[in-house]
Amino acid sequence: QVQLVESGGGLVQAGGSLRLSCAHSGRTLSNLVTGWFRQAPGKEREFVAARTWSVGIPKYADSVKGRFTISIDVATNTMYLQMNNLKPEDTAVYYCAARNSMQVSEAEVSYRYWGQGTQVTVSS
């Protein structure tokens, strides 16, 4: 089992920055892909970014490329999403997710483990 706990959401003005954290605990993380999804009000949950836990090139949704950065601190088993130049359309509940694989996937259904979500609100 893998437990995921997000933190770091909040209210920020457009153009501002936030950093989300996702603390991992449970099974060993060597064969794990971990990533972020988000769900805006009235919309389906969508892929934001993901990467393999050990090493690998991250993958980003086109809407966040150049603004968001996913990173991992192996020493603390924590994944981060640095979000810069935030826009009102980034407003959503952000979820941390993980899957037992060495391949990054954008498909929500392929992720087995989920955090509880953290709200990000960007005001205009």
Side-chain angles (χ1 to χ4, degrees):
Q1 281 288 64
V2 174
Q3 291 79 44
L4 307 173
V5 178
E6 303 101 331
S7 61
L11 173 64
V12 65
Q13 287 188 332
S17 298
L18 279 175
R19 188 177 76 160
L20 304 183
S21 300
C22 176
H24 287 58
S25 62
R27 69 178 296 274
T28 57
L29 304 172
S30 58
N31 295 327
L32 205 69
V33 166
T34 186
W36 294 93
F37 288 76
R38 67 186 181 185
Q39 187 168 22
K43 295 187 177 181
E44 294 185 351
R45 191 152 52 184
E46 64 176 4
F47 171 79
V48 175
R51 58 161 286 175
T52 54
W53 183 264
S54 54
V55 67
I57 299 174
K59 190 170 187 178
Y60 297 96
D62 289 342
S63 58
V64 306
K65 278 181 183 176
R67 300 188 299 122
F68 290 12
T69 303
I70 187 173
S71 63
I72 291 173
D73 184 340
V74 177
T76 61
N77 282 349
T78 303
M79 177 179 65
Y80 298 98
L81 184 68
Q82 178 66 43
M83 306 185 294
N84 298 329
N85 190 21
L86 282 161
K87 305 175 181 181
E89 52 264 42
D90 294 319
T91 295
V93 176
Y94 283 71
Y95 296 89
C96 173
R99 64 191 292 256
N100 300 119
S101 174
M102 289 297 290
Q103 288 191 328
V104 174
S105 171
E106 297 184 18
E108 176 187 354
V109 295
S110 69
Y111 288 78
R112 178 177 180 181
Y113 307 104
W114 291 87
Q116 81 284 357
T118 185
Q119 177 70 47
V120 171
T121 302
V122 184
S123 63
S124 58

